[in-house]
Amino acid sequence: MAPAEDDTVRLKPPGPGSARRGLIGGLALLGLLGGGVWYGAGGPGEDARPAPAATPAPPQPMVRVMAEAELLALLPEQPSLYRLRENPQVFVLLFPDLARQGEALNRAAALIEKAGLPRDRLLDATELAAAIARSGDTPATWYLGHDYRSADLARFFALAERDRVALNEAELWLRDQFALASAAAGPGPFAMVSAAAPGPQMDMPMRMAVLRHEIGHGHYFTLPGFAGHVQAVWRNGFTEAERGAFRGFLGREGYDAGNDELMANEAMAYLLFTPDPRLFGPAQVGLAPATLDRLRELLRVGLTLP
Ligand SMILES: [Zn+2]
């Protein structure tokens, strides 16, 4: 999710150097041992046990399950992975600040959905910094939250491997979490979404709206039939003028307005799952309140949580 565009709520860049603070040294280990993830029997630290007679089963990755209401109130001190109780195909990464979220996910955002950037290779650090600067953002504020299909993140890591691109420490941590989620989710697609803790650039109500927005995308990526319903409403329930208003709003926020599937997914997430008028409302999108209510109703009828 992009920061609000309106100047009255435009998130100010952090002070010099602050976006780079807290480079994630050692966090891969901390994330596994002290974060929201742990190993079941046979995990790290149990080597001193007597070896069982039979071949031991491989470690079973476990990801802590949390209800959405719990996640909305949760502010872990280290980057952590959780699984959404209401829809277990949605995995949620919570970061202690926007800078660390950006370190882990900005390059994936560039590959997967940021406008005007290559879709077939990873940017290097210089190219990524330039793309962020062109958008008027900092690494911390390029996105307030992130949401990806498992297949898109798998492609990100496969391209890094193919081109021998060195991942930064936060991206290596992300790769570990992706592997844990993959093992827990089983065969089938899943979603990884993220939000950061509140701070100078995002208060608690805005953070809650961002997390709800990203979880909404998680539903879109994983609930059978929901994406098709959203696409059908976008094509047939929105007028061309309404689609144009959303493309304008989302394009100003830095989304790729030429990607119609992304436009439909974002329109859904803003309409149904973004309860903060600083981030979304009639003024930002340039449509009447009654129009937004009508579109909400059309979208909502397709949403049935497991
Ligand atoms: Zn979004």
Side-chain angles (χ1 to χ4, degrees):
M1 160 174 237
E5 190 65 27
D6 187 318
D7 283 343
T8 59
V9 295
R10 180 71 188 178
L11 301 169
K12 286 196 293 188
S18 64
R20 308 298 298 179
R21 72 184 180 276
L23 192 67
I24 309 185
L27 269 187
L29 188 63
L30 283 173
L32 284 170
L33 300 182
V37 182
W38 68 93
Y39 280 91
E46 298 187 0
D47 292 347
R49 286 185 178 181
T55 306
Q60 291 301 305
M62 296 180 65
V63 182
R64 195 176 300 170
V65 177
M66 290 268 185
E68 179 172 312
E70 295 175 289
L71 290 169
L72 289 173
L74 193 63
L75 302 173
E77 291 179 0
Q78 300 293 342
S80 302
L81 174 70
Y82 303 93
R83 193 171 190 183
L84 184 67
R85 184 176 305 283
E86 290 90 342
N87 179 353
Q89 296 308 97
V90 177
F91 292 81
V92 180
L93 296 163
L94 295 183
F95 291 87
D97 52 59
L98 286 165
R100 276 191 269 191
Q101 175 176 255
E103 285 279 339
L105 288 161
N106 278 347
R107 194 145 62 149
L111 173 74
I112 295 166
E113 64 182 29
K114 281 288 189 179
L117 296 173
R119 294 283 175 265
D120 58 351
R121 68 174 181 87
L122 273 56
L123 300 184
D124 64 28
T126 307
E127 292 171 317
L128 181 63
I132 292 171
R134 276 199 304 276
S135 71
D137 280 301
T138 69
T141 63
W142 209 28
Y143 268 150
L144 299 180
H146 294 253
D147 57 274
Y148 302 107
R149 288 183 171 89
S150 50
D152 283 333
L153 283 175
R155 196 162 59 84
F156 173 78
F157 293 119
L159 288 175
E161 179 106 7
R162 182 195 75 181
D163 297 338
R164 295 190 167 81
V165 175
L167 299 176
N168 69 34
E169 288 198 63
E171 290 166 336
L172 291 171
W173 177 85
L174 176 70
R175 193 174 65 183
D176 288 344
Q177 309 316 301
F178 182 72
L180 285 169
S182 300
F190 63 92
M192 283 194 104
V193 307
S194 78
Q201 296 136 337
M202 182 174 64
D203 60 20
M204 189 63 176
M206 189 179 282
R207 188 265 192 177
M208 293 172 82
V210 169
L211 182 51
R212 290 196 60 196
H213 175 105
E214 304 305 350
I215 287 174
H217 287 309
H219 295 320
Y220 177 93
F221 290 143
T222 57
L223 289 181
F226 185 47
H229 166 76
V230 170
Q231 294 294 326
V233 171
W234 173 256
R235 283 193 308 271
N236 306 318
F238 285 57
T239 66
E240 183 52 38
E242 289 159 358
R243 282 189 293 269
F246 270 92
R247 287 192 190 101
F249 162 64
L250 293 166
R252 289 190 296 277
E253 295 293 317
Y255 297 96
D256 183 355
N259 180 341
D260 227 37
E261 207 227 326
L262 178 67
M263 293 295 99
N265 185 10
E266 290 297 340
M268 177 282 297
Y270 276 101
L271 281 162
L272 294 186
F273 295 105
T274 313
D276 188 320
R278 294 169 295 177
L279 294 171
F280 178 74
Q284 288 97 324
V285 73
L287 293 170
T291 301
L292 299 189
D293 287 343
R294 192 192 100 245
L295 297 174
R296 275 191 189 100
E297 278 311 304
L298 290 173
L299 290 165
R300 198 174 278 136
V301 297
L303 183 65
T304 309
L305 286 171

